[in-house]
Amino acid sequence: MTKVDLRQKVVSENESLARANRARFAEQGTLVLNLVSSPGSGKTSLIEETAEQLKARWKMLVLTGDLMTENDARRIRSRGVEAIQITTGEACHLDARMVADNLLGAQGEHYDLVVIENVGNLVCPATFDLGEDLKVLLVSVAEGDDKPLKYPPMVRASSVLVVSKTDLVPYTDSDPERLAGNALRINPDLTVFKLSSKTKEGLDQWMGWLESRLAAKRQPPAK
Amino acid sequence: MTKVDLRQKVVSENESLARANRARFAEQGTLVLNLVSSPGSGKTSLIEETAEQLKARWKMLVLTGDLMTENDARRIRSRGVEAIQITTGEACHLDARMVADNLLGAQGEHYDLVVIENVGNLVCPATFDLGEDLKVLLVSVAEGDDKPLKYPPMVRASSVLVVSKTDLVPYTDSDPERLAGNALRINPDLTVFKLSSKTKEGLDQWMGWLESRLAAKRQPPAK
C-alpha cells in the first residue's frame, strides 16, 4: 500500500465518521463551528469572549484540542461554560472520531452551540472534516498579511475568516484589508470579520453573525 | 499495514536520506540550520537580517519551504543571497528527499552555511530530520508564552530557541522570560536568544553565536 493510498484510506474513514457526527448534530439542531488557525492566533480568547456573551441565552459546549496541557479547557471553564480538553499527543489535528468519543460523555444533553477549537496548525486540520457546519479560520495580524497565500488549502476549506488581534495593527507591517483580500482571492465566498478580543473592537459584528446562525438553527427549514 | 506501521516506514526512509544529507554536509564542512516555527513567527525576517550580516564573509544558501508562493525566496534573494523555494503543495513539512533534490542544482558549490526554512508548522517538522546540524525553533511573543508547553515534541527536537518579535512585548500579555522558562522545563539544553529582527534588539547575540559555530566548522576536530 502506498503512502497516498493510505492517506486516502485514513481520510475516507474520517469522512464517514464526520458524516455520522454531522447527522447527529443536525438531528439535535446544534450549530457546530470548527476553529482553525496557527498556534497563538487567538482562538481561545475569541471563544472566551463568545462564551461570556452567549452563555445566558444559549447552551454551549467547547471541545479544545492541543498536543498537551489542559490550559485552554481551564480558561474556558473559568468563563462558566462546559469545556472538554482533547490532547492529541503528536497528532497535528483533531479527527471525527475524537469528536465523537468526547461527545459520548455529553450524551443526552442538548447544545445549541458546539465550538471545536482545533490544534493550532494551518495545514493538517484542512483535510479532516469533523462534522462541523463551518470552519472558522483565524489569522492574526501579527502573523503577516501574506499568510492566506501561503496556506491556500485551509483558506479554501473555510467558510469564515476572522482577522484577529487587530489591536496590534499599529505595531506590525500587516494591513488587515490586504490580509482579507489575499484570502478572498483564494476563496471569494468567505465571510470576513476583523476583531480584537482584547479591545473588543469588531466583536459585535462577530456576535451578531453568530446569533443569527444560532437563531436560524432553531427555525424549521422553509418549505 | 496499519497507520502506525506506515508512519514508521515513512519516517525511517526519511532517516536514511537524512543521514546521507548529513554525511554530505559534514564532508563539505557546511553548517546546516533547520528553522522551525508556527506560520508568521519571523523566520524569513531573521534569515534576511542574518544574510545581510554574513554574506560578505560566508558563502550562504537558503532553502525555503512553503505550501505555495515564491515570496520568501524572493525576499531573501533581494538581500543578495542565493535562495531556492520548495513548494510542498499540501505537505506540512519538508523532508530529507526535498532537501537532497534541491541541493543537486547547487552541486559542486561549497557553502559555509545552509539555512533551511521549514514550512510554518509547530508539529510536523519535529518528526522529519533533514540532515541538519541543529533545529532552531522560533516562537514569537505574539503567539503567547504558553506555546512551548503545548507543543513539546518540537521543543524537545530543537537545540536553539529564538524568542522573536520582542518589539511587540509591550503590546501583548507575553513574558519572554516565562516563554523561555516554559521551553527550558521541557528541554533544559536549549540555547536561548531573545530578539527583534525589526528593531535589531538582541541580534548581536544571535550573530555572535552563529559566527562561532561557523568558525568551529572550519577547524579540524581536536585530537
Side-chain angles (χ1 to χ4, degrees), chain B residues 15 25 31 44 47 55 88 91 93 101 105 107-108 117-118 122 163 176 198 202 208:
Chain B
E15 273 169 15
F25 290 134
L31 177 67
T44 315
I47 294 170
K55 65 185 179 188
T88 65
H93 60 88
D101 288 352
Q107 211 166 29
E117 180 182 352
N118 220 311
L122 216 43
V163 180
K198 195 170 181 176

Side-chain angles (χ1 to χ4, degrees), chain B residues 24 99-108:
Chain B
R24 181 178 159 184
V99 170
D101 288 352
N102 280 282
L103 284 172
L104 287 181
Q107 211 166 29

Side-chain angles (χ1 to χ4, degrees), chain A residues 16 20-21 57 73 76 80 90 96 108 110 129 155-156 195 203 214 216:
Chain A
S16 72
N21 287 350
R57 278 162 300 122
I76 292 158
E90 294 197 347
H110 171 267
D129 184 8
V155 177
R156 273 193 290 271
L195 56 82
L203 265 183
L214 284 162

